[in-house]
Amino acid sequence: NAGVTQTPKFRVLKTGQSMTLLCAQDMNHEYMYWYRQDPGMGLRLIHYSVGEGTTAKGEVPDGYNVSRLKKQNFLLGLESAAPSQTSVYFCASSWTGPEQYFGPGTRLTVT
Amino acid sequence: GQSLEQPSEVTAVEGAIVQINCTYQTSGFYGLSWYQQHDGGAPTFLSYNGLDGLEETGRFSSFLSRSDSYGYLLLQELQMKDSASYFCAVPQYNQAGTALIFGKGTTLSVSS
């Protein structure tokens, strides 16, 4: 089992460009999450999903959109990237809320 | 809202015992999770306390006191590989489902 995978691992964008981050899990988990991690800020929840076709906003949703068209995939979109979105993005999945399995992260730089 | 407080840094030597505290203020509390993250890596789940008391898993233990809105992670027989960041987190349940709110993390440095 691959667990949780994220694509791409690294990306550099220019301000205003768009991109999609892909998260895939092979554990048949219902819940999937997107977090961003900035120095000294811990992990902050962007959006999450409790099942195929459902999404919900987290703590810092502005500037991001998500979709969960298939149970195993959770996509995070940036429509118009800003330097403030430079961060490390982690995806996670879970059967229950307290125990989550994280992907390796995507390091995004917006110049 | 949710608020979790933990020390930003802790230092210790190999073989020692260290305790990382977490205090919380939440609207509705269901339990406390702990995660470990090595530099540049993914967070990994360590433990979850849904009830008051001590949960032991090898060298790591986690404690919860609901009446004090407080929990801690106890690491025994410290090893160099325990140098990492440790996060406490609380589950948040609402109509949209279940999410985790994380503290800002404690960086543990273990020296020889």
Side-chain angles (χ1 to χ4, degrees), chain B residues 27-104:
Chain B
S27 53
F29 178 79
Y30 302 92
L32 191 68
S33 292
W34 287 94
Y35 284 77
Q36 178 191 60
Q37 184 182 32
H38 285 99
D39 196 28
T44 57
F45 173 80
L46 291 177
S47 68
Y48 175 69
N49 292 72
L51 301 173
D52 281 5
L54 191 68
E55 296 278 344
E56 298 181 74
T57 309
R59 295 187 297 113
F60 293 4
S61 302
S62 57
F63 173 82
L64 176 65
S65 169
R66 289 170 179 260
S67 60
D68 296 319
S69 297
Y70 162 75
Y72 65 73
L73 180 68
L74 189 73
L75 297 83
Q76 303 182 71
E77 300 173 15
L78 280 174
Q79 302 175 10
M80 297 292 284
K81 67 178 181 179
D82 297 328
S83 292
S85 292
Y86 293 85
F87 297 89
C88 59
V90 293
Q92 181 181 40
Y93 297 92
N94 53 44
Q95 288 182 333
T98 305
L100 266 185
I101 304 300
F102 284 81
K104 294 184 177 181

Side-chain angles (χ1 to χ4, degrees), chain B residues 10-15 78-83 108-112:
Chain B
V10 174
T11 60
V13 297
E14 273 188 302
L78 280 174
Q79 302 175 10
M80 297 292 284
K81 67 178 181 179
D82 297 328
S83 292
L108 170 64
S109 299
V110 181
S111 59
S112 57

Side-chain angles (χ1 to χ4, degrees), chain B residues 13-30:
Chain B
V13 297
E14 273 188 302
I17 300 172
V18 72
Q19 179 174 311
I20 299 173
N21 299 321
C22 175
T23 57
Y24 58 86
Q25 285 185 315
T26 63
S27 53
F29 178 79
Y30 302 92

Side-chain angles (χ1 to χ4, degrees), chain A residues 65-93:
Chain A
N65 57 74
V66 288
S67 64
R68 183 111 180 258
L69 298 179
K70 292 183 178 181
K71 186 177 184 178
Q72 63 268 33
N73 296 336
F74 195 28
L75 279 63
L76 178 70
L78 286 74
E79 292 184 348
S80 180
S84 60
Q85 294 178 304
T86 293
S87 188
V88 180
Y89 292 86
F90 286 100
C91 175
S93 71

